[in-house]
Amino acid sequence: AQRVTQPEKLLSVFKGAPVELKCNYSYSGSPELFWYVQYSRQRLQLLLRHISRESIKGFTADLNKGETSFHLKKPFAQEEDSAMYYCALKPGGYQKVTFGTGTKLQVIP
Amino acid sequence: DGGITQSPKYLFRKEGQNVTLSCEQNLNHDAMYWYRQDPGQGLRLIYYSQIVNDFQKGDIAEGYSVSREKKESFPLTVTSAQKNPTAFYLCASSAVEVGGNEQFFGPGTRLTVL
């Protein structure tokens, strides 16, 4: 069975500080990993996916298969980063997507 | 925002009544999903469909039913058998392709059982 764990419900950081949102997964095959973000009063939307290996809004995430992790990082937090962040896993070749419980990021001015 | 819509935005239901939530998409996506979002529990998958006339149970399907008669539509019925139906319901869709399928989400429906 596939599982996604986000250990922090709330992460508070000061503006300009580094951010790391943790995501660990369990899946025996080759998964596709995603980070979704939900800003206040907006729809849930994709932030980034591991296969793209790109930086979006200064955020990056590297898939570490050895540690089964996909942590989201940003070197300098901005106030507009305050939102709910969800890590998600999709098994390769299948459509069932599993989400973590989410981490609320609060950036303090 | 466009592409995937849900209606109504708010829905009130008396105990013992069935209620149907609407989800429509014009993105030509094959896959559609229903999630339930509760505080502290993230998104939990109720049902999903990979193609018309086919759907699979997710992790919390008990007390829910769906249909997929058209590619554009994936309605969810919350039945009286669902013990704790008050929640925020999200619908999503995605293309079915190899590698990195982004899900597009609707605005959600908040269901309250009175």
Side-chain angles (χ1 to χ4, degrees):
Chain A
Q2 61 206 68
R3 185 173 179 177
V4 177
T5 302
Q6 293 180 252
E8 303 138 329
K9 287 188 177 181
L10 173 66
L11 182 64
S12 297
V13 301
F14 286 101
K15 178 182 174 181
V19 174
E20 183 178 47
L21 299 169
K22 291 184 168 51
C23 173
N24 290 90
Y25 67 90
S26 64
Y27 179 66
S28 56
S30 296
E32 299 169 24
L33 275 297
F34 307 82
W35 277 99
Y36 284 83
V37 61
Q38 191 169 30
Y39 301 103
S40 179
R41 298 189 182 87
Q42 292 188 29
R43 299 187 187 198
L44 193 62
Q45 59 188 284
L46 179 70
L47 180 62
L48 53 79
R49 66 190 87 181
H50 89 272
I51 63 165
S52 300
R53 303 180 69 82
E54 57 192 346
S55 174
I56 304 293
K57 298 184 179 182
F59 284 98
T60 59
D62 291 318
L63 178 61
N64 186 323
K65 291 187 178 181
E67 296 182 359
T68 59
S69 68
F70 188 56
H71 303 327
L72 183 68
K73 299 178 183 179
K74 184 170 183 176
F76 307 104
Q78 299 173 341
E79 290 181 63
E80 53 265 34
D81 295 329
S82 294
M84 195 75 181
Y85 291 81
Y86 292 95
C87 183
L89 179 152
K90 189 177 91 65
Y94 297 91
Q95 296 305 315
K96 181 180 179 182
V97 180
T98 298
F99 282 78
T101 51
T103 298
K104 183 175 181 179
L105 175 63
Q106 183 180 56
V107 180
I108 305 165
Chain B
D1 287 324
I4 181 162
T5 59
Q6 291 183 242
S7 62
K9 188 174 181 180
Y10 298 97
L11 191 55
F12 297 89
R13 185 193 97 178
K14 292 182 179 179
E15 279 192 36
Q17 289 181 337
N18 292 354
V19 63
T20 298
L21 282 59
S22 169
C23 178
E24 303 277 334
Q25 54 98 1
N26 62 3
L27 300 168
N28 200 34
H29 285 163
D30 284 306
M32 296 188 75
Y33 306 78
W34 273 106
Y35 294 93
R36 173 179 169 141
Q37 190 177 30
D38 295 286
Q41 299 194 56
L43 276 70
R44 291 182 291 168
L45 183 63
I46 304 173
Y47 269 97
Y48 66 106
S49 168
Q50 299 179 79
I51 197 167
V52 175
N53 293 322
D54 185 54
F55 49 83
Q56 286 78 40
K57 292 182 179 180
D59 299 315
I60 56 165
E62 185 176 351
Y64 300 97
S65 66
V66 294
S67 62
R68 187 83 189 278
E69 297 176 1
K70 297 187 299 181
K71 189 175 186 177
E72 303 79 17
S73 179
F74 191 42
L76 173 73
T77 297
V78 184
T79 75
S80 57
Q82 167 51 232
K83 296 179 181 178
N84 186 23
T86 294
F88 189 63
Y89 292 87
L90 282 172
C91 181
S93 71
S94 71
V96 176
E97 58 192 32
V98 176
N101 304 320
E102 175 182 358
Q103 286 189 306
F104 292 82
F105 285 84
T109 293
R110 186 167 297 281
L111 173 64
T112 302
V113 175
L114 304 173

